[in-house]
Amino acid sequence: MTEKEVPLKPAATVLLVRDRAGESDKIEVFMVVRHHQIDFASGALVFPGGKVDEGDTDPALIDFLPESERGDDTLRSFKIASIRESFEEANILLARNRETNELVTHERLEKLAAKYRVPLQNDDIPILEMVREENLELATDLLGHFAHWLTPAHMPKRFDTHFFIAKAPPHQLAAHDGEESVDSVWIGPNEVLDEADNGKYTVIFPTRMNIEVLGRFSSSEEVVANAKATDTFSVMPKMEVTDEGKFLLIPKEAGYSVTRRPIDQIMDKSSSK
């Protein structure tokens, strides 16, 4: 690491998807609008997510995972963080009742949210406390590894971000937290792109690239299965300086629609509503 490089902070984000009937978009994803005072991507339309907390790395959490997920897994803390952040930011909890092996019901979710959502957001308790007291299993097996992006070395804030994808439990009601996020929407991939282009939403570059990929699929089942079956390519954009200006480069092996984009276009020139 050079003197000018900022260390990477581990982070996780999650695409919660469901099917949509009778629309040009066959899938929709839950997204939130970041508060304008947040220090990263303020005012942007994003997937729920955030930094990996120290509590997400607690080895004791292994006992509260599906048996199939208890082996060596370099992504374990990222998966746990994505589930915690989904609960905090989206009011969706990918967890099972350990007695019934069924996903948490809407009624149970509301009770859990009233008791634990704010303490978790404020870092007053680790997620281990909730799952232990409530006899829950974190359903990391439902997550597909969708993408992996690392912030370029020249940036003042840098994140090592793993993107996961999961089908949203149909009986749980998604809702933004009113703190880190001030609005939320179920929205199709094409809608995101259209409304970013017409100025309704701000969509940062990594979000836009992954929204485009999401739009290639025709069902939530298909996209989650693909994420589970496909190796994920790590993307760390690089900056190219030419006489024409500065450009951000991403490798073609990542499979996105562009490999080179002007720096001044990596944030859509729009303001969130």
Side-chain angles (χ1 to χ4, degrees):
M1 184 176 72
T2 68
E3 290 184 359
K4 293 184 178 180
E5 278 190 25
V6 176
L8 289 161
K9 295 181 179 180
T13 191
V14 58
L15 287 73
L16 297 164
V17 294
R18 67 186 186 186
D19 295 323
R20 171 191 283 188
E23 302 284 348
S24 58
D25 283 313
K26 298 302 182 183
I27 303 175
E28 54 187 10
V29 61
F30 186 76
M31 302 186 74
V32 297
V33 178
R34 300 271 287 178
H35 195 288
H36 289 274
Q37 293 181 346
I38 296 292
D39 62 356
F40 177 75
S42 62
L45 187 68
V46 299
F47 311 119
K51 291 181 289 185
V52 175
D53 287 348
E54 184 177 353
D56 301 328
T57 67
D58 193 327
L61 284 165
I62 294 174
D63 294 335
F64 298 90
L65 301 181
E67 288 190 14
S68 62
E69 294 281 303
R70 296 182 185 181
D72 292 338
D73 187 355
T74 58
L75 295 179
R76 180 179 293 121
S77 62
F78 292 92
K79 291 178 180 178
I80 292 169
S82 71
I83 291 178
R84 176 183 52 76
E85 287 285 349
S86 172
F87 179 53
E88 291 179 18
E89 288 196 45
N91 201 48
I92 294 290
L93 181 58
L94 298 174
R96 299 183 180 93
N97 183 327
R98 295 179 80 186
E99 294 180 357
T100 65
N101 202 38
E102 297 292 332
L103 286 174
V104 168
T105 63
H106 173 71
E107 292 75 17
R108 181 93 189 275
L109 172 64
E110 292 305 299
K111 293 177 181 178
L112 292 169
K115 185 175 180 179
Y116 295 104
R117 200 174 177 193
V118 171
L120 282 169
Q121 288 172 328
N122 294 338
D123 296 327
D124 293 333
I125 63 169
I127 193 170
L128 177 63
E129 182 173 327
M130 180 180 78
V131 297
R132 178 177 281 158
E133 289 190 10
E134 301 294 336
N135 198 26
L136 297 173
E137 175 185 272
L138 296 175
T140 53
D141 57 316
L142 298 182
L143 298 168
H145 194 205
F146 191 75
H148 180 212
W149 282 63
L150 302 98
T151 310
H154 66 274
M155 299 294 285
K157 291 181 182 291
R158 302 187 66 216
F159 298 95
D160 175 3
T161 305
H162 288 272
F163 293 69
F164 298 95
I165 190 165
K167 293 180 65 174
H171 53 277
Q172 294 186 15
L173 181 63
H176 59 279
D177 62 9
E179 297 292 333
E180 291 187 12
S181 54
V182 295
D183 198 3
S184 59
V185 63
W186 282 102
I187 190 168
N190 289 319
E191 284 182 275
V192 175
L193 300 176
D194 290 344
E195 294 185 358
D197 290 342
N198 68 29
K200 182 176 181 179
Y201 292 121
T202 295
V203 179
I204 60 175
F205 184 55
T207 304
R208 185 177 186 112
M209 292 296 96
N210 285 298
I211 278 289
E212 287 184 2
V213 172
L214 184 63
R216 299 173 188 171
F217 296 89
S218 57
S219 74
S220 57
E221 190 80 30
E222 179 190 12
V223 65
V224 173
N226 181 268
K228 289 184 175 183
T230 306
D231 290 335
T232 301
F233 189 90
S234 298
V235 177
M236 185 169 75
K238 296 182 178 180
M239 189 168 65
E240 176 188 55
V241 180
T242 71
D243 292 340
E244 300 172 299
K246 297 179 180 179
F247 295 84
L248 204 64
L249 309 178
I250 60 175
K252 64 180 181 180
E253 292 84 359
Y256 292 105
S257 61
V258 301
T259 58
R260 186 174 186 261
R261 188 165 184 176
I263 289 288
D264 61 3
Q265 292 181 16
I266 64 171
M267 178 76 85
D268 289 86
K269 297 179 179 179
S270 55
S271 58
S272 63
K273 186 174 180 179

